Amino acid sequence: GYASPPHALRAGTRFGWGRNLGRGVGGREVAMHEMSLTRDVVDAVLDHAAMAQADRVLSVHMTVGEIHDIVDDLFVKCFAFLARGTAAEGARVTIDRVPLTVRCKECGEVFGVDLHARGGAPRCPGCGGGLYAINSGNEFTLDDIEVA
């Protein structure tokens, strides 16, 4: 069944590490980025399983915004590696991605932003403005943990 997470780990809890989550240059930095994030998630999942007095974690479902720029396959592999020998070993990890959108501060239009596009800061397609706030794509949530 699905366990009720403890107060600090409620479904939809946002993990806010407060550090630069951009992709590094070269494979080692990218791998270390996913490993660090995954370690935090595995720790939270194991804490949750222990609080639920579960023997096994069957699945983990997350929502991750594009701004976090993780490589899904690498994240899942890091989870499997870090979960070896724990209640989370063999758990299925699914990640729903949320695209980066911003809201123009001048006209209110919401539009998508390509983080990898070249050519400077994006402009609002509605008014040409360059001031905006993140609307979506900054999510990093642990939504569901299925335990047995």
Side-chain angles (χ1 to χ4, degrees), residues 103-109 111 123-124 126-133:
R103 178 178 303 278
C104 178
K105 289 186 176 184
E106 296 175 37
C107 73
E109 182 163 342
F111 59 98
R123 301 305 241 160
C124 174
C127 71
L131 298 175
Y132 36 81

Side-chain angles (χ1 to χ4, degrees), residues 24-101:
V25 177
R28 186 169 196 281
E29 291 83 358
V30 172
M32 292 306 293
H33 168 69
E34 268 76 5
M35 187 68 79
S36 175
L37 291 175
T38 309
R39 181 176 311 283
D40 292 338
V41 170
V42 170
D43 288 347
V45 167
L46 292 174
D47 287 347
H48 173 82
M51 295 286 277
Q53 298 178 344
D55 294 323
R56 287 187 49 224
V57 176
L58 303 175
S59 66
V60 175
H61 184 95
M62 299 180 61
T63 300
V64 178
E66 183 180 11
I67 203 167
H68 291 286
D69 204 18
I70 67 166
V71 178
D72 292 5
D73 291 343
L74 184 54
F75 187 91
V76 170
K77 287 176 184 175
C78 288
F79 186 97
F81 175 77
L82 293 171
R84 291 178 308 162
T86 72
E89 183 172 9
R92 182 176 37 104
V93 178
T94 56
I95 300 172
D96 286 337
R97 297 305 297 236
V98 179
L100 176 59
T101 63

